[in-house]
Amino acid sequence: MEKAVILKKGKEESLHRYHPWIFSGAIQRIEGKPEEGDIVTVYTNDRQFIARGHVQVGSIAVRVLTFNNEPVDQSFWNRRIATAHDLRERTGISSREDNNTYRLVHGEGDNLPGLVIDIYGDTAVMQAHSVGMHVNRMQIADALKEVLGDKIKNIYYKSETTLPYKADISKDNGYIMGGNASNIATEYGLKFHIDWLRGQKTGFFVDQRENRSLLEKYAKGRKLLNMFCYTGGFSIYALRGGAEIVHSVDSSSKAIDLTNANAELNFPGDKRHTAYAEDAFDFLDRMGNNYNLIILDPPAFAKHRDSLRNALIGYRRLNAKAIEKIQPGGILFTFSCSQVVSKENFRTAVFTAAAMAKRNVRILHQLTQPADHPVSIYHPEGEYLKGLVLYVE
Ligand code: SAH
């Protein structure tokens, strides 16, 4: 019997608008006893084909892979990866001489819900966020080899922390191909050690590339604080941009080691840079009015809708401290990467922070994620990175 999901009457409406998620409440019955991660065919209540996708336990029960009645086989994966690669080629990011760091697959934004692939030089780091993508990981790896050919020599699979905690599967990280990888990648002419074995996410925050580049233009002669620095991305761009001093702060000492290593890799012996392993709030409390360019790029304060309220309080407190202490004429780059915090939510939190600090604040730029993190117009939830560049009088 075909593995199939039959929707309740009328529940196909969001699928006509190509939204790729089917919530468990929309399902009338499941046939053919699919296991978690299997491909299922989705039918309307009067048994018309509507989609095909990965089934999973949880509130999002099916992640749609295709709205066409086509098999999800090796050729399907090859075509999807080729389409994703095309976008990066045509937007220029994958063919620049000064850059070999980019996102090749951005989940729903590439019609591959639950899958992220980042490219670092000749290594692809693949991360499954759904059981289905985990089940299909070898086919996806084959598709990568087919499409990228000898452009990649290593494929590292890293899903230990991103797969559902309860799923009954072995989630070990490891190389699917190669293993002898150099872990230095280049982003817009700067070099970074990427630790995909132990680092956060796929090892690097590729999504801040364009925002780092904008920061570089504002860095000349400035005294800069890079709060939540992780690998020091913003700091290294600031050094190239001619900043007078650059202080990097992160609560993780591993992050501070990485930041120091990356500063050393690009600007050996440069005395302008110092890194501190310290909690953000402690540092902001004790620092004086020493900075006129501050970056706040905290981890997602809200991972789920229930924590939204506390997250907004967190963003408000953090921004209020920075706005209060930044020198007159200072510039603040402030971000939120929480998907559940909307652009409006975030702006309101920062607005409240500005009012609390009683400073005159103007918005210079409104930032988001770069083109290699595309947002499907049918899946606005995919827009997760929000940033404001503020001028504080
Ligand atoms: N700006 C970075 C990415 C930041 S990720 C980039 O461009 O790559 C968020 C970082 O915040 C992590 O490195 C994490 O270790 C750090 N962090 C989390 N909680 C913190 C806290 N309370 N104080 C300081 N750093 C914190």
Side-chain angles (χ1 to χ4, degrees):
M1 191 180 196
E2 188 190 30
K3 293 173 182 169
V5 161
I6 320 300
L7 299 178
K8 289 178 185 161
K9 217 166 164 196
K11 289 293 183 188
E12 69 279 10
E13 201 192 309
S14 67
L15 297 169
H16 285 310
R17 285 181 271 112
Y18 303 113
H19 194 281
W21 293 345
I22 299 173
F23 291 95
S24 53
I27 295 174
Q28 181 159 81
R29 66 175 190 282
I30 298 179
E31 297 175 354
K33 297 200 171 57
E35 282 182 32
E36 190 167 26
D38 275 351
I39 307 276
V40 292
T41 303
V42 184
Y43 293 99
T44 61
N45 201 258
D46 54 0
R47 227 176 165 101
Q48 302 295 311
F49 172 91
I50 183 103
R52 191 161 279 136
H54 282 139
V55 70
Q56 188 164 315
V57 178
S59 97
I60 305 175
V62 180
R63 287 169 172 79
V64 173
L65 293 165
T66 177
F67 293 98
N68 296 325
N69 196 351
E70 59 181 336
V72 177
D73 52 11
Q74 187 62 52
S75 142
F76 170 87
W77 295 111
N78 293 359
R79 281 180 277 123
R80 276 286 197 276
I81 297 291
T83 305
H85 184 244
D86 258 11
L87 184 145
R88 276 74 187 170
E89 287 283 297
R90 289 179 191 185
T91 53
I93 195 62
S94 55
S95 46
R96 290 175 62 123
E97 298 234 313
D98 62 348
N99 191 78
N100 61 18
T101 303
Y102 63 93
R103 179 155 291 192
L104 174 66
V105 173
H106 184 60
E108 285 81 357
D110 285 291
N111 295 317
L112 288 166
L115 182 67
V116 162
I117 302 176
D118 286 335
I119 305 291
Y120 301 115
D122 57 14
T123 300
V125 181
M126 192 169 133
Q127 196 155 66
H129 293 254
S130 70
V131 180
M133 289 300 181
H134 173 78
V135 170
N136 290 125
R137 66 195 180 284
M138 291 308 188
Q139 281 169 296
I140 298 165
D142 284 342
L144 276 174
K145 294 178 204 167
E146 169 77 23
V147 173
L148 294 169
D150 55 11
K151 282 197 232 162
I152 52 158
K153 301 201 164 50
N154 310 284
I155 300 175
Y156 187 68
Y157 182 65
K158 186 177 200 258
S159 302
E160 233 163 46
T161 56
T162 53
L163 284 165
Y165 162 71
K166 286 190 187 140
D168 182 20
I169 43 178
S170 119
K171 305 167 198 161
D172 291 349
N173 291 341
Y175 283 97
I176 293 180
M177 179 172 99
N180 230 336
S182 146
N183 73 340
I184 294 180
T186 309
E187 185 184 87
Y188 284 178
L190 294 166
K191 294 193 195 75
F192 291 95
H193 291 282
I194 316 275
D195 187 359
W196 49 79
L197 300 183
R198 286 167 299 267
Q200 304 173 41
K201 307 273 164 118
T202 64
F204 192 63
F205 286 77
V206 188
D207 56 358
Q208 288 287 24
R209 183 200 315 110
E210 303 305 324
N211 303 331
R212 289 179 193 126
S213 196
L214 178 67
L215 171 97
E216 181 176 356
K217 301 195 185 104
Y218 281 106
K220 199 167 177 54
R222 292 213 175 239
K223 301 185 190 72
L224 188 135
L225 169 64
N226 179 12
M227 181 55 77
F228 308 99
C229 64
Y230 187 33
T231 56
F234 283 101
S235 303
I236 313 303
Y237 278 74
L239 289 170
R240 186 168 67 180
E244 194 179 302
I245 55 168
V246 178
H247 289 170
S248 306
V249 179
D250 199 289
S251 57
S252 144
S253 58
K254 267 199 263 163
I256 293 305
D257 291 346
L258 266 171
T259 296
N260 281 326
N262 286 330
E264 207 42 41
L265 187 61
N266 292 280
F267 303 97
D270 197 322
K271 294 276 184 295
R272 293 175 297 157
H273 180 250
T274 317
Y276 303 88
E278 195 171 331
D279 175 74
F281 286 95
D282 292 348
F283 190 94
L284 291 168
D285 276 339
R286 78 169 173 86
M287 74 177 196
N289 300 64
N290 300 329
Y291 303 105
N292 56 13
L293 180 48
I294 298 180
I295 300 135
L296 298 175
D297 185 23
F301 282 173
K303 295 243 156 75
H304 300 286
R305 206 148 275 289
D306 359 333
S307 46
L308 179 60
R309 204 175 150 267
N310 282 337
L312 294 176
I313 295 172
Y315 288 120
R316 196 172 73 202
R317 269 184 64 208
L318 189 65
N319 282 279
K321 280 213 185 334
I323 297 174
E324 196 186 297
K325 295 204 170 176
I326 199 167
Q327 290 177 356
I331 292 175
L332 173 65
F333 277 64
T334 182
F335 297 96
S336 161
C337 60
S338 310
Q339 194 170 61
V340 296
V341 173
S342 69
K343 222 187 294 187
E344 292 69 30
N345 285 157
F346 180 58
R347 195 154 149 173
T348 306
V350 177
F351 151 85
T352 313
M356 280 162 70
K358 300 194 173 57
R359 300 285 294 267
N360 189 9
V361 174
R362 278 175 280 175
I363 299 175
L364 304 182
H365 302 271
Q366 304 186 45
L367 306 178
T368 182
Q369 62 217 53
D372 53 341
H373 295 57
V375 181
S376 162
I377 203 147
Y378 307 114
H379 181 258
E381 298 92 327
E383 185 182 346
Y384 68 98
L385 185 62
K386 301 150 288 281
L388 293 170
V389 181
L390 306 176
Y391 182 79
V392 185
E393 260 179 51

